[in-house]
Amino acid sequence: MSDSNLKWEPQYGIPPGWMLEDHLQARGYSQAEFAQRCNRSPKLISEIIAGKAPIEPATALQFEKVLGLNAQIWVNIESKYQLFLAREAEAKKAEEESEWVRGFPINHLVKRGYISQPKTTADQVSTLLAFFRIASTDAWDVIYRHPKAALRHSPSFKSDPKVWSTLLQIGVIKAEEQLCLPYCKSEFSTTVRRIRELTRKPLVDALNDAQKLCNDAGVGLVLVEPIRGAPLSGAAWWTNPKTAVIQLTGRYKSNDHLWFTFFHEAAHILLHSKKNIFLDASNDTGEADIELEAHRWAANLLIPPKRWSDFVTRSSFTEQEIKTFAKELGIATGIVVGRLQHEGIIDWSHFNDLKESFNWDDFR
């Protein structure tokens, strides 16, 4: 546990006017006399004692000369008191915004250790704002409910902004833990093709290697567990002009879906605007042109069109034929199975034993 978690903060504030009044009484000064000695108006001194006016730095310097108490002390007391008042006002406002927290997956965030268990409604509001690194619920609305950045998603993606924004923010936090070199398009293009070869390795090893390769090319690669209510397979966005992020959820729990999602998101990074946030629900991209382009790019990179056309002209498919074809291409056998299933060439129930299952316990 960090020292900051052990730090105690009093749940009250001491108005600096109380301390000033004590010092005046100790010296036998009336407010009027003290005001005269400070060359300030009696009204100002009265308002400071009543807590209606703050002690400004220049005033603190005058108090230092008249009372012999360092100006920094007066400034510190005033600062702490004003912060206390601000916290009180924020807590009151948070209580009034209790409706805003509804819909956020707080239990998921607590369970996965992203936040501590909030004790009150006001604490829930404050904790969520800190999680999203924003100062107000209005700021959340601007960034997530009505984002200025272009938000692109596959037609099948339907989710409450409170849920998908939470999932995306977890990705942001995880990406910040990775050390990425500045993004280089040519380097990342080469990296993506090297990662294609990794698909034949066990998932844990392959994804660890892929993350390192992506980081060296200026791209963060993060795995984020899916959240109920956000059917998100993957996402891609730019944290800044020099760093991109690809987020995977392993939603379908098989290597063919996970790898296709990776290459789909990589296409967004390589082909599309840095101003967009891309959210993808599945590898069924419907009619959205930008999603269809990413879909085709990923499919053609994994299996060149001519090789695929030659392969599917066969009237039947055996386990050995699928394994041989995948080995010749240098990709995971599960990817070939998934492509055959997706295009309706074989039934969804066929050859699933040739896929590798994605298990979150292996990555936690």
Side-chain angles (χ1 to χ4, degrees):
M1 184 178 291
S2 66
D3 292 341
S4 61
N5 291 332
L6 296 173
K7 187 177 180 180
W8 176 79
E9 292 187 5
Q11 300 300 308
Y12 57 85
I14 301 175
W18 291 7
M19 183 174 171
L20 176 59
E21 192 170 33
D22 287 344
H23 278 276
L24 295 187
Q25 290 178 357
R27 287 165 175 75
Y29 292 156
S30 66
Q31 292 184 22
E33 181 182 357
F34 179 67
Q36 191 174 41
R37 287 177 178 273
C38 293
N39 194 32
R40 304 304 293 266
S41 70
K43 179 181 178 181
L44 174 63
I45 301 303
S46 175
E47 289 181 343
I48 289 175
I49 290 176
K52 296 179 181 180
I55 298 177
E56 304 288 351
T59 307
L61 288 172
Q62 293 170 336
F63 286 7
E64 178 184 81
K65 295 180 179 66
V66 177
L67 299 174
L69 198 60
N70 192 285
Q72 188 64 57
I73 294 176
W74 294 108
V75 171
N76 288 347
I77 294 173
E78 181 66 51
S79 177
K80 289 181 179 180
Y81 182 61
Q82 292 300 327
L83 181 59
F84 168 78
L85 293 179
R87 289 190 188 281
E88 287 282 286
E90 185 179 72
K92 182 178 180 181
K93 183 180 180 184
E95 287 287 355
E96 297 170 353
E97 295 177 329
S98 59
E99 190 65 28
W100 178 75
V101 304
R102 295 180 187 227
F104 283 105
I106 294 176
N107 290 338
H108 179 92
L109 292 174
V110 172
K111 183 178 180 181
R112 297 301 176 214
Y114 294 108
I115 63 173
S116 298
Q117 180 68 60
K119 296 179 177 61
T120 65
T121 301
D123 194 20
Q124 286 181 335
V125 174
S126 180
T127 298
L128 285 172
L129 292 178
F131 169 75
F132 282 104
R133 297 174 187 169
I134 52 179
S136 69
T137 58
D138 290 339
W140 184 89
D141 284 340
V142 170
I143 296 171
Y144 295 106
R145 195 185 298 280
H146 308 292
K148 292 181 180 178
L151 184 64
R152 305 299 294 262
H153 56 80
S154 61
S156 57
F157 181 77
K158 295 179 181 179
S159 175
D160 188 312
K162 292 182 179 179
V163 183
W164 70 252
S165 65
T166 299
L167 198 61
L168 207 61
Q169 181 62 15
I170 294 174
V172 170
I173 293 170
K174 283 182 169 289
E176 289 177 347
E177 298 171 356
Q178 299 178 19
L179 298 176
C180 295
L181 295 176
Y183 175 75
C184 174
K185 184 174 182 178
S186 61
E187 178 71 20
F188 184 57
S189 180
T190 300
T191 290
V192 168
R193 285 159 176 79
R194 290 179 64 187
I195 292 174
R196 178 184 181 277
E197 301 170 7
L198 293 177
T199 63
R200 292 187 64 82
K201 295 180 65 174
L203 269 176
V204 174
D205 296 334
L207 286 170
N208 283 334
D209 292 346
Q211 183 185 89
K212 176 66 168 58
L213 289 170
C214 284
N215 290 172
D216 289 345
V219 178
L221 175 59
V222 298
L223 297 177
V224 177
E225 291 182 69
I227 301 176
R228 185 186 300 275
L232 188 69
S233 295
W237 73 93
W238 292 79
T239 58
N240 57 65
K242 294 184 178 181
T243 308
V245 177
I246 291 175
Q247 179 172 325
L248 306 175
T249 67
R251 177 181 165 218
Y252 289 97
K253 299 182 180 179
S254 63
N255 64 335
D256 62 316
H257 282 285
L258 184 135
W259 283 123
F260 189 88
T261 300
F262 168 79
F263 291 104
H264 181 98
E265 304 308 334
H268 284 314
I269 298 299
L270 288 167
L271 303 177
H272 302 139
S273 171
K274 292 184 178 183
K275 296 180 180 180
N276 287 348
I277 300 172
F278 300 96
L279 304 178
D280 296 301
S282 69
N283 57 0
D284 182 4
T285 55
E287 298 299 323
D289 54 351
I290 201 166
E291 292 299 324
L292 187 59
E293 183 179 21
H295 177 88
R296 286 175 175 168
W297 189 94
N300 293 340
L301 176 71
L302 286 167
I303 306 177
K306 181 63 167 60
R307 297 294 302 275
W308 180 249
S309 177
D310 292 343
F311 180 64
V312 298
T313 55
R314 306 176 188 184
S315 58
S316 63
F317 300 91
T318 66
E319 179 175 320
Q320 188 55 50
E321 286 175 331
I322 293 172
K323 286 182 176 179
T324 300
F325 182 60
K327 186 175 181 179
E328 290 173 354
L329 291 174
I331 60 174
T333 306
I335 294 175
V336 177
V337 174
R339 178 78 174 267
L340 289 168
Q341 291 173 338
H342 178 73
E343 296 194 5
I345 298 172
I346 63 174
D347 190 81
W348 287 103
S349 63
H350 291 178
F351 300 117
N352 285 319
D353 57 327
L354 297 182
K355 299 180 181 182
E356 181 183 353
S357 296
F358 180 88
N359 189 341
W360 263 106
D361 290 337
D362 296 333
F363 293 92
R364 290 196 183 103

